[in-house]
Amino acid sequence: MLEAIRAGYERFGFLPIETPVFERSDVLLTKTGGETERQVYFVQSTGALEKVRDGAAEDAAYPELALRFDLTVPLARYVAEHEHQLTFPFRRYQMQRVYRGERPQRGRFREFYQCDVDIVGKDELSVRHDAECPAVIHTIFTDLAIGPFTIQINNRKLLRGFYEDLGIVDPDRQAAVLREVDKLDKRGEDHLRTTLTGEGFGLPADVVEQILAFVQVRSDGHEDALARLAAVEAASGGSGALAEGVAELREVLTLVRALGVPESDYRLNFSIARGLDYYTGTVYETTLDEHPQIGSICSGGRYDNLAGQYTRSRLPGVGISIGLSRLFWQLREAGLVEASAGESTVQVLVPQVDAALLDDQLALASQLRHGGINTEAVLDGGKLGKQLRYADRAGIRFVAILGPQEVADGTVTLKDLRRQDQFTVARDEVVSALRVELAQPLV
């Protein structure tokens, strides 16, 4: 799955970066304040601890370093640090482990792979780039072949304008409503109604009903999506943040179709807001049609200023993230992927048939490796049958047998454990013969 995601990112022209697992604590904690603070793992060397015990270190609320919480903060720091060496728009992908103070449980991990892709601009970034993310998502999940899926698309400007028209103008209150609306598909309409009319929000019942009607809008096909946007635009008077959101969504949807994404695989969903407040425009969530209980398998969106806390330059961007470890666990639980990889990265095993021929067998292994074939050589010997069973259990397809008769004849016997077949080739042709066999698909 990692390789399929990597190939998908690279197919769209994204370049890989890696960042240190450590970040400065003050950098990590500027992202979302107290919520992040409760999930960050702080790091302190034994030398620093000794200084604290000796009273030599300055008092500090936290250790200087912490493990990265996600890949967004490291990207922001990376772009700010290398701003003058990068070519913009900067297109990067990053596939590394991240760490969160979760309580380990089903599908939740303290250490897990995250696979991010982002496009970052300098001063400005056309909304046209927002259409690339659904195209990337579609390519990757088609290649992964995990079943039909739908890319849900919305725009936070549209939502913000809608709430402003309802009189919900305060940014903090608006953000709180957005976070609750984002949970609609998980918690249901009744829960949202009770929450928004209850203590903490106290919205009038008629306003909540308008919100519920609006956020349950879903499109059915491309033309229907454009028609729904036109209806919203007409009802709003065509001005303000809502109109901006409509215009951006219209352009994104048009380009998503132009990029080859089938209209059955994307739709408008006015409930999608994404919980993180740094999203400012287009937002995405992707769900499996036949397994909605899994929730979003890929999400992301547009942000206005990625690294505003680290540089005076304005660096807008758009990106998506796949939480691969949790996704794999969920797919395995749903029976959509196998837990075993099946095939080993080792392509050939060279067994030890005769201890007196060890040098010849090792020379054969070296010949295969120089020919670009991944090869393991057995050094301890034992019965040939036992070595063949080892190769079969380890997922190694071919066994290259070099016994006394083969040495005398200048040949190698190749045993294909998948096809339950064997054949003999000349020693100097063994590499080319294996390449031909490995290139042919198993039927």
Side-chain angles (χ1 to χ4, degrees):
M1 291 180 74
L2 278 167
E3 289 309 310
I5 294 169
R6 187 189 313 279
Y9 287 164
E10 292 184 350
R11 207 172 307 158
F12 278 80
F14 292 93
L15 303 174
I17 68 166
E18 290 193 358
T19 59
V21 67
F22 292 158
E23 292 286 345
R24 289 180 56 88
S25 298
D26 55 354
V27 170
L28 285 179
L29 295 179
T30 55
K31 184 179 179 186
T32 55
E35 181 59 33
T36 302
E37 189 176 304
R38 286 190 289 272
Q39 291 190 310
V40 165
Y41 281 111
F42 294 103
V43 179
Q44 203 161 36
S45 68
T46 52
L49 285 171
E50 288 173 2
K51 289 181 179 180
V52 170
R53 284 196 295 268
D54 295 340
E58 295 182 6
D59 291 336
Y62 303 108
E64 182 182 10
L65 299 175
L67 299 181
R68 60 180 172 231
F69 172 85
D70 64 9
L71 298 178
T72 304
V73 173
L75 171 64
R77 181 189 54 74
Y78 180 91
V79 174
E81 182 179 349
H82 301 285
E83 178 183 346
H84 300 295
Q85 289 83 47
L86 297 176
T87 301
F88 291 95
F90 176 53
R91 304 165 64 88
R92 85 81 168 90
Y93 75 85
Q94 190 169 354
M95 300 169 58
Q96 289 186 275
R97 291 181 175 94
V98 297
Y99 304 85
R100 295 186 187 179
E102 298 269 14
R103 181 173 63 86
Q105 53 185 302
R106 293 170 61 84
R108 293 286 183 181
F109 309 100
R110 289 173 174 162
E111 178 183 36
F112 57 94
Y113 271 106
Q114 199 151 309
C115 306
D116 286 16
V117 63
D118 287 84
I119 308 167
V120 181
K122 181 74 176 289
D123 299 324
E124 61 182 8
L125 183 72
S126 169
V127 73
R128 293 176 179 177
H129 290 287
D130 294 18
E132 283 195 278
C133 289
V136 173
I137 294 170
H138 186 267
T139 296
I140 288 172
F141 287 106
T142 299
D143 290 348
L144 288 175
I146 55 177
F149 58 88
T150 300
I151 304 165
Q152 322 269 350
I153 306 175
N154 199 12
N155 190 295
R156 284 181 69 120
K157 290 180 182 177
L158 180 147
L159 292 175
R160 194 171 73 244
F162 172 73
Y163 292 123
E164 287 173 355
D165 288 348
L166 291 177
I168 307 172
V169 179
D170 178 71
D172 292 337
R173 194 179 191 210
Q174 203 176 91
V177 172
L178 281 171
R179 284 192 291 270
E180 292 302 320
V181 167
D182 194 51
K183 302 169 187 174
L184 175 62
D185 289 340
K186 294 180 182 178
R187 297 183 176 179
E189 182 179 333
D190 290 341
H191 184 275
L192 181 60
R193 182 183 287 109
T194 301
T195 301
L196 295 182
T197 56
E199 186 178 351
F201 289 93
L203 295 177
D206 63 322
V207 170
V208 173
E209 292 306 318
Q210 290 181 66
I211 292 173
L212 283 168
F214 183 79
V215 300
Q216 291 187 77
V217 169
R218 308 286 187 274
S219 65
D220 182 16
H222 186 82
E223 295 304 324
D224 181 57
L226 296 181
R228 290 179 181 274
L229 288 177
V232 170
E233 187 174 41
S236 70
S239 62
L242 191 147
E244 286 184 43
V246 167
E248 290 183 2
L249 276 173
R250 186 180 289 121
E251 184 166 11
V252 168
L253 291 171
T254 300
L255 291 178
V256 166
R257 185 166 67 169
L259 283 163
V261 180
E263 62 179 274
S264 59
D265 293 347
Y266 64 90
R267 70 174 182 180
L268 287 178
N269 182 339
F270 284 177
S271 73
I272 301 299
R274 303 298 303 138
L276 297 171
D277 292 338
Y278 60 74
Y279 290 121
T280 56
T282 313
V283 284
Y284 326 93
E285 285 190 358
T286 305
T287 53
L288 292 175
D289 298 350
E290 297 172 0
H291 299 273
Q293 75 282 359
I294 288 178
S296 177
I297 59 174
C298 177
S299 58
R302 161 72 70 135
Y303 40 83
D304 276 341
N305 197 1
L306 175 72
Q309 293 162 328
Y310 321 121
T311 175
R312 292 181 180 178
S313 300
R314 184 171 178 271
L315 300 170
V318 62
I320 54 173
S321 178
I322 303 172
L324 184 60
S325 300
R326 185 164 186 261
L327 173 60
F328 176 80
W329 187 90
Q330 291 172 313
L331 295 176
R332 188 188 64 186
E333 289 293 294
L336 298 177
V337 296
E338 295 291 336
S340 172
E343 288 291 322
S344 170
T345 56
V346 180
Q347 296 167 305
V348 179
L349 178 76
V350 178
Q352 188 182 130
V353 180
D354 187 333
L357 299 176
L358 180 60
D359 287 355
D360 295 282
Q361 291 155 4
L362 293 179
L364 172 61
S366 294
Q367 178 185 351
L368 295 173
R369 290 171 187 142
H370 285 304
I373 295 172
N374 300 342
T375 304
E376 177 184 344
V378 177
L379 301 179
D380 294 333
K383 293 182 178 181
L384 180 59
K386 184 178 180 180
Q387 296 178 63
L388 293 176
R389 286 193 296 275
Y390 164 77
D392 191 40
R393 287 195 301 270
I396 303 172
R397 179 179 169 185
F398 287 98
V399 178
I401 299 171
L402 189 65
Q405 189 62 51
E406 285 84 6
V407 170
D409 296 342
T411 60
V412 177
T413 297
L414 294 176
K415 189 172 184 65
D416 186 338
L417 298 180
R418 294 294 172 272
R419 289 199 172 103
Q420 292 295 305
D421 187 22
Q422 72 177 45
F423 52 95
T424 300
V425 297
R427 173 73 180 269
D428 58 0
E429 296 177 1
V430 64
V431 170
S432 58
L434 278 167
R435 283 178 177 169
V436 170
E437 291 296 322
L438 290 166
Q440 295 176 3
L442 282 170
V443 179

